[in-house]
Amino acid sequence: MHKINFCSGPAVLPPTVYNKAIEAIQNFDHTDQSILELSHRSSSIVSMIQETKLLVKELLAISDEYDVLFLHGGASMQFCMIPMNFLSTSTKAYYTLTGQWASNAFHEAQLLGNADALCSSADSNYNYLPSLQQAYTLDNSAYVHFTSNNTIYGTQWKSYPSFNCPIIVDMSSDLFSKKINVHQFDLIYAGAQKNIGIAGVCMVIIKKSLLEKQNKLIPTMLNYNTHLLHESSFNTPPVFAIYTCNLNLKWLKSIGGVQEIEKINQMKAQLLYAEIERNSLFDCTVAKPEDRSLMNVTFVAKNKEIEIAFKDFCKKNNIVSIDGYRTVGGFRASIYNAMPLQDVQLFVEIMKSFESKI
Amino acid sequence: MHKINFCSGPAVLPPTVYNKAIEAIQNFDHTDQSILELSHRSSSIVSMIQETKLLVKELLAISDEYDVLFLHGGASMQFCMIPMNFLSTSTKAYYTLTGQWASNAFHEAQLLGNADALCSSADSNYNYLPSLQQAYTLDNSAYVHFTSNNTIYGTQWKSYPSFNCPIIVDMSSDLFSKKINVHQFDLIYAGAQKNIGIAGVCMVIIKKSLLEKQNKLIPTMLNYNTHLLHESSFNTPPVFAIYTCNLNLKWLKSIGGVQEIEKINQMKAQLLYAEIERNSLFDCTVAKPEDRSLMNVTFVAKNKEIEIAFKDFCKKNNIVSIDGYRTVGGFRASIYNAMPLQDVQLFVEIMKSFESKI
C-alpha cells in the first residue's frame, strides 16, 4: 500500500535509496561483505565517503576554500560546537530567532558566552520572518546565525543581508532543495534526516579560513579542525548514514541537480499553497507569501471539527505524518526533494474531494 | 563467497541482523513504510527504542537504579562528556592507561580539568595490564576510568579493584561478550560497532544517582541528564543504528544470552591462543595469559617474511581484516559475539595448513 509520508524528518527518500541501501547490506562494492561490517578504514568505505564529499561540492558548486564534513550528533550538536569553536570572551554572537531550533541554538551560545538576538518573531509564535536591513555592522561580532528554513512554522529565508562577520546557517531542512551561493556563507550545517539522508549524521560545509578564528582548548571531538584534518574519520563515522546521503545525492545529480529540483520544489509548493488559499476549509499559518517555506507547508482548518474530520480523511487515504507540530497545531505537509510532484497533486485532489464531501 | 571478517570494528554481525534490517528498510513493523523514513516520534520507533533498552537491562540483569541511553558521537564523544559532567574544579579524575583509547580518554579529562594516571603500561607499548591493589582510597576523586578491553593491544581486564569513588568503564569492545555485574560500576559506555550493532550509536548505562554529582552549565547535548529525561530522543536519534542493536541483542537472547555467548567466546579464544602458542611460526603479543583478551587476539609472525606470506595466504583463503593495528603490527583476529566458532576453527586449520606448506 503506497503511503504518502509528509513527515518533517526523518522523511521519505527516493525508492532508489532504499533499493541500493539494501544491495549494500547484502554486498557492498563487490567486497562480498555487508556495508554494515566493513571497516571505516577499508578502501571501499574511504572512497565512498570521499565520493560523497565530492558530490556535495559538485552539486552546490563549492570551491576548495571550503571543506565538507560528516559529523555525529545531529544539528543539535552544532548548536554548542559553533560557540565553543568561534565565540570568545571578547566577542559576541548574534542570532536570528525565527523558531524553536533557532532559539535552541541561541540558548547554547548564551550558555557558553555572550550572545544577542539580532531579531525575533517570537511575539507571534514565529509565524513570520522579521524584516532585516540590507547590511549590518555588528559590534565585536564573532558571527551571525540563521536558521534558513523553520520546519515547525513553515517560514524560509529567501535572501540574506551582508554582515561584517562570518555568517553561519542551519540549513537542516532546505540544503540541496535549491541553488544557493555557498560562498556567501562561512559555515552551513544540516542534519541529514530531512532532505539529505537518514538520521545519524550531520553535514557541515565550512570555510577553512574560519578556523583561523577558532578558540583554543576545545574538546577533540567538538573541534571542527579534528574532523577536517581526519577527513571526517577521526573516530568511526556513521558509515551507513553517510552512504544514504551518497545515494540520495547521486539520485539528485541524476535528475539534474539542485537547479532541476528547485523547479519541481517550487511547483509542488505553489500547487499546495494555491489549494490551501482556494479551499474554503483551510488557512495558511504564514500570512505573507514571501515568508512561506517551499519545504514545509503549514496550514490550519477553519475550525476544530473540520480539523478532526480532515485528519481522519487523510488516514483513510494513506496520508501519514500530516499533523502540525504541537505548538502550532493544524497540518504540516513536508515536501522535501524526495516527495514526488504526483503525490502533492494527489494530496491536492484529496483536499478538494474532502471539501466537496463535508 | 563467504569471507571471514576479523575486523576490530565495524565488525561482522549475525546474518539475521542483515536480513531483518533489510526487511525493515522495505516495511517496518507493518507500517508499509521504511524504517529509514519513519518519524522518531512515531509509535513504532518509540516502541523499538524502548524494547532495545529493556533488552539491554534484561541481558545484563540491570536494576532500575540505572538507565540505558543511546547517544550520538561514538565512544570518543564520551571521552569529553565524562569529565564535562563529573569532573569539578575541586576534584580529580584517575585513569588507567592501558592503550590508545584509554589515553585519548585521559587526554580529554586533562584538557577539561585535573586528571592523573592511576597506572600505565605505556612503557611496553601496552602489551600487559598493570598490577593493581585490591582496593583504593583516592584523594578528591571524581571517578576512576577503565578501558575494559584494549582492542589494539589484545588485553582485557578480568576483574576490578574497589574504589572510594564512581567507576566508569569504556566497554566498547566487550560489553555483552560475558556476564558482568553492572552494579559494580557507575557508568558503562560502548560504541556499538564492535559487539552491539553498527557504527553511529554509543550505548551508555548510567547509575542515575551519579547525576546528583553532576556539574552545572553543561551544553545541552553533552549533558547526560538531557538524554535521560528525553529517553534518548531529545534530538533525532540514530534510529537505524539503534535498530541494528535491537536485532543483535534479540539474536543474543535467542541463543541463551551472555551466559551462553561467554562459553562460546571462551572456546573461540582458547582455540586460537592454543594454536598461536603451538604453531612454530607465530607468537602472542601479550605474554601473560591472564591479561589476554577474549575479543581481540593479537599475534606476530616470527619474522617479516612469514608475516608477508601469511597475509597473502589469508587473502587467498578469504580471511579479511586480519592485519594488526599499525602501532603493533602483525595480526589481530577480532572474535566478537557474531564470529561463529566454526570460522575460528577454520582459521586455525588455515594456520596449520600454512605452517605445513611454508
Side-chain angles (χ1 to χ4, degrees):
Chain A
M1 185 70 69
H2 175 63
K3 296 254 171 101
I4 301 182
N5 177 14
F6 282 125
C7 191
S8 63
V12 67
L13 290 166
T16 179
V17 174
Y18 303 139
N19 295 335
K20 286 186 190 292
I22 288 170
E23 280 174 28
I25 291 178
Q26 290 163 330
N27 182 356
F28 182 65
D29 193 28
H30 312 290
T31 55
D32 287 327
Q33 291 184 267
S34 169
I35 191 171
L36 306 183
E37 64 169 305
L38 278 171
S39 170
H40 55 297
R41 310 283 179 209
S42 66
S43 60
S44 295
I45 301 297
V46 170
S47 305
M48 182 277 288
I49 294 175
Q50 186 61 21
E51 185 188 58
T52 313
K53 184 170 144 173
L54 293 177
L55 273 165
V56 174
K57 293 187 83 170
E58 184 187 345
L59 284 164
L60 297 175
I62 305 174
S63 76
D64 287 339
E65 285 176 90
Y66 291 76
D67 209 339
V68 178
L69 310 175
F70 304 103
L71 304 186
H72 295 262
S76 293
M77 191 67 89
Q78 299 301 305
F79 297 168
C80 69
M81 279 179 70
I82 290 160
M84 254 185 214
N85 279 263
F86 305 117
L87 182 57
S88 75
T89 48
S90 62
T91 59
K92 190 189 272 191
Y94 294 85
Y95 282 73
T96 53
L97 305 185
T98 53
Q100 184 181 308
W101 303 112
S103 300
N104 286 2
F106 182 48
H107 174 77
E108 297 305 300
Q110 285 183 304
L111 203 70
L112 292 160
N114 198 356
D116 258 358
L118 182 75
C119 62
S120 171
S121 52
D123 58 355
S124 184
N125 197 28
Y126 305 114
N127 69 357
Y128 69 98
L129 289 177
S131 309
L132 292 180
Q133 300 163 205
Q134 279 207 315
Y136 285 86
T137 306
L138 302 172
D139 287 344
N140 296 321
S141 49
Y143 58 84
V144 61
H145 181 278
F146 281 84
T147 309
S148 61
N149 182 68
N150 300 284
T151 43
I152 296 176
Y153 312 93
T155 63
Q156 185 177 24
W157 291 105
K158 307 295 189 314
S159 64
Y160 297 83
S162 68
F163 292 91
N164 65 330
C165 64
I167 309 181
I168 294 178
V169 188
D170 177 356
M171 293 195 187
S172 289
S173 48
D174 66 357
L175 189 62
F176 297 109
S177 71
K178 58 177 183 175
K179 273 183 82 174
I180 54 166
N181 177 12
V182 167
H183 300 83
Q184 194 181 349
F185 309 105
D186 298 80
L187 192 155
I188 291 168
Y189 63 100
Q193 70 274 10
K194 294 170 187 293
N195 205 28
I196 311 178
I198 66 166
V201 64
C202 181
M203 190 178 286
V204 173
I205 301 167
I206 187 168
K207 194 170 188 175
K208 290 180 234 174
S209 61
L210 191 63
L211 292 171
E212 290 160 17
K213 297 174 185 173
Q214 203 189 19
N215 293 329
K216 308 286 173 212
L217 293 179
I218 307 157
T220 310
M221 279 291 288
L222 302 166
N223 187 330
Y224 289 107
N225 214 22
T226 301
H227 304 291
L228 195 128
L229 290 173
H230 292 87
E231 299 271 348
S232 301
S233 294
F234 169 73
N235 72 333
T236 314
V239 174
F240 184 73
I242 297 173
Y243 186 55
T244 62
C245 301
N246 177 295
L247 293 173
N248 193 30
L249 295 180
K250 267 191 201 141
W251 167 81
L252 179 57
K253 188 177 163 180
S254 77
I255 63 158
V258 287
Q259 201 157 350
E260 277 307 303
I261 205 76
E262 182 170 7
K263 289 181 204 158
I264 301 169
N265 285 335
Q266 273 170 348
M267 283 166 71
K268 290 187 300 190
Q270 276 160 14
L271 205 61
L272 200 40
Y273 282 118
E275 173 57 21
I276 297 164
E277 294 199 326
R278 187 211 60 76
N279 198 305
S280 60
L281 305 176
F282 302 103
D283 282 318
C284 284
T285 59
V286 178
K288 286 189 202 163
E290 63 269 30
D291 288 352
R292 288 178 189 162
S293 169
L294 300 187
M295 295 284 101
N296 311 93
V297 177
T298 51
F299 57 103
V300 286
K302 297 278 186 189
N303 64 50
K304 198 72 199 171
E305 199 182 342
I306 295 170
E307 181 181 320
I308 293 166
F310 188 60
K311 280 187 181 169
D312 188 53
F313 196 73
C314 282
K315 212 171 187 175
K316 284 183 183 140
N317 284 282
N318 289 305
I319 306 293
V320 295
S321 298
I322 186 73
D323 285 16
Y325 194 79
R326 61 183 163 71
T327 55
V328 176
F331 303 94
R332 169 173 54 175
S334 298
I335 50 174
Y336 303 122
N337 289 357
M339 173 63 63
L341 177 61
Q342 304 89 287
D343 283 2
V344 176
Q345 286 165 334
L346 192 61
F347 182 62
V348 165
E349 290 311 311
I350 287 167
M351 289 177 79
K352 286 181 179 164
S353 158
F354 175 71
E355 187 190 28
S356 70
K357 278 179 187 157
I358 208 163
Chain B
M1 184 70 69
H2 175 63
K3 296 254 171 101
I4 301 182
N5 177 15
F6 282 125
C7 192
S8 62
V12 66
L13 290 166
T16 178
V17 174
Y18 303 139
N19 295 336
K20 286 187 190 293
I22 288 170
E23 281 174 28
I25 291 177
Q26 290 163 328
N27 182 355
F28 182 65
D29 192 28
H30 312 290
T31 55
D32 287 328
Q33 291 184 267
S34 170
I35 190 171
L36 306 184
E37 64 170 305
L38 278 171
S39 170
H40 56 297
R41 309 281 179 211
S42 67
S43 60
S44 295
I45 300 298
V46 170
S47 305
M48 183 278 288
I49 295 175
Q50 185 61 20
E51 184 188 59
T52 313
K53 182 169 146 174
L54 292 176
L55 273 165
V56 175
K57 293 188 84 170
E58 182 186 346
L59 285 164
L60 297 175
I62 304 174
S63 76
D64 287 339
E65 285 176 90
Y66 291 76
D67 208 340
V68 178
L69 310 175
F70 304 103
L71 305 186
H72 295 263
S76 292
M77 191 67 88
Q78 298 301 306
F79 297 168
C80 69
M81 278 179 71
I82 291 161
M84 252 183 216
N85 279 263
F86 306 117
L87 183 57
S88 75
T89 48
S90 62
T91 60
K92 192 189 271 192
Y94 294 85
Y95 281 73
T96 54
L97 304 186
T98 54
Q100 184 181 306
W101 303 112
S103 301
N104 286 2
F106 182 48
H107 174 78
E108 297 305 301
Q110 285 182 304
L111 203 69
L112 292 161
N114 198 355
D116 257 358
L118 182 76
C119 63
S120 172
S121 53
D123 59 355
S124 185
N125 197 27
Y126 305 113
N127 69 358
Y128 70 98
L129 289 177
S131 310
L132 292 180
Q133 299 163 205
Q134 280 205 315
Y136 285 86
T137 306
L138 302 172
D139 288 344
N140 296 323
S141 47
Y143 59 83
V144 59
H145 181 278
F146 281 84
T147 309
S148 62
N149 182 69
N150 300 283
T151 42
I152 296 176
Y153 312 93
T155 63
Q156 184 177 25
W157 291 104
K158 307 296 189 316
S159 64
Y160 296 83
S162 67
F163 292 92
N164 65 329
C165 64
I167 309 181
I168 293 177
V169 189
D170 177 356
M171 293 195 188
S172 290
S173 49
D174 66 357
L175 190 63
F176 297 108
S177 71
K178 58 177 182 175
K179 273 182 80 172
I180 55 166
N181 177 10
V182 167
H183 300 84
Q184 195 181 348
F185 309 105
D186 298 80
L187 192 156
I188 292 168
Y189 64 100
Q193 71 274 10
K194 295 171 186 294
N195 205 28
I196 311 178
I198 67 164
V201 64
C202 181
M203 190 179 286
V204 172
I205 301 167
I206 188 168
K207 195 171 187 173
K208 289 181 235 173
S209 61
L210 192 63
L211 293 171
E212 291 160 17
K213 297 173 185 173
Q214 204 188 18
N215 293 329
K216 308 284 175 214
L217 291 179
I218 307 158
T220 310
M221 278 292 288
L222 302 166
N223 187 331
Y224 289 107
N225 214 23
T226 301
H227 304 292
L228 196 129
L229 291 174
H230 292 87
E231 298 271 349
S232 301
S233 294
F234 169 73
N235 71 334
T236 315
V239 173
F240 185 74
I242 296 173
Y243 186 56
T244 63
C245 302
N246 177 295
L247 293 173
N248 193 30
L249 295 180
K250 267 191 202 142
W251 167 81
L252 180 57
K253 187 177 164 182
S254 76
I255 64 158
V258 287
Q259 201 157 349
E260 276 307 302
I261 204 76
E262 183 170 8
K263 288 181 205 160
I264 301 169
N265 285 334
Q266 273 170 350
M267 285 167 71
K268 291 186 300 189
Q270 276 161 14
L271 204 62
L272 199 41
Y273 282 117
E275 173 57 21
I276 297 163
E277 293 199 326
R278 189 212 58 75
N279 197 304
S280 60
L281 305 176
F282 302 104
D283 283 319
C284 284
T285 59
V286 178
K288 288 189 200 162
E290 63 269 29
D291 289 352
R292 288 178 188 161
S293 168
L294 300 187
M295 295 284 101
N296 312 91
V297 177
T298 51
F299 58 104
V300 287
K302 298 278 186 189
N303 63 49
K304 198 72 199 171
E305 200 182 342
I306 296 170
E307 180 179 320
I308 292 165
F310 188 59
K311 282 187 179 168
D312 189 52
F313 196 73
C314 282
K315 213 170 186 175
K316 283 180 184 142
N317 284 280
N318 290 307
I319 306 292
V320 295
S321 299
I322 185 74
D323 285 16
Y325 194 79
R326 61 184 164 70
T327 56
V328 176
F331 303 93
R332 170 173 52 176
S334 297
I335 50 173
Y336 303 121
N337 289 357
M339 172 64 62
L341 177 61
Q342 305 89 286
D343 283 2
V344 176
Q345 286 165 335
L346 192 62
F347 182 61
V348 164
E349 290 311 312
I350 286 166
M351 289 176 79
K352 286 182 179 163
S353 157
F354 176 70
E355 187 189 27
S356 70
K357 279 181 187 155
I358 208 165

